[in-house]
């Protein structure tokens, strides 16, 4: 089982992606979601997911900005 987090500023996009993952990939469990880079960093550090689904453009930074802060 893989743990995943979804970080996207659009709640509808987070919900649809989580539904698609749940329906098509039982080996992936979505353990957390966040709406921006700051929340995303906190969720990632707390939950230590194996997989990240990141939006590119978000208020306060991009998915790439978030990844740079993890290293």
């Amino acid at each position: 089982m893989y743990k995943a987090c979804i970080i996207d500023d659009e709640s509808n996009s987070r919900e649809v992606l989580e539904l698609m993952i749940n329906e098509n990939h039982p080996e992936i469990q979505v353990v957390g979601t966040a709406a921006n880079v700051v929340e995303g960093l906190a969720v990632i550090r707390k939950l230590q997911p194996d997989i990240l689904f990141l939006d590119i453009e978000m208020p306060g930074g991009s998915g790439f900005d978030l990844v740079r802060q993890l290293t």
Side-chain angles (χ1 to χ4, degrees), residues 37-66:
V37 171
V38 173
E39 290 176 9
L41 282 170
V43 167
I44 292 166
R45 288 184 174 138
K46 178 180 178 184
L47 301 175
Q48 298 292 304
D50 303 300
I51 301 168
L52 296 176
F53 293 93
L54 302 173
D55 189 8
I56 299 300
E57 296 293 327
M58 296 181 281
S62 71
F64 295 112
D65 296 329
L66 188 151

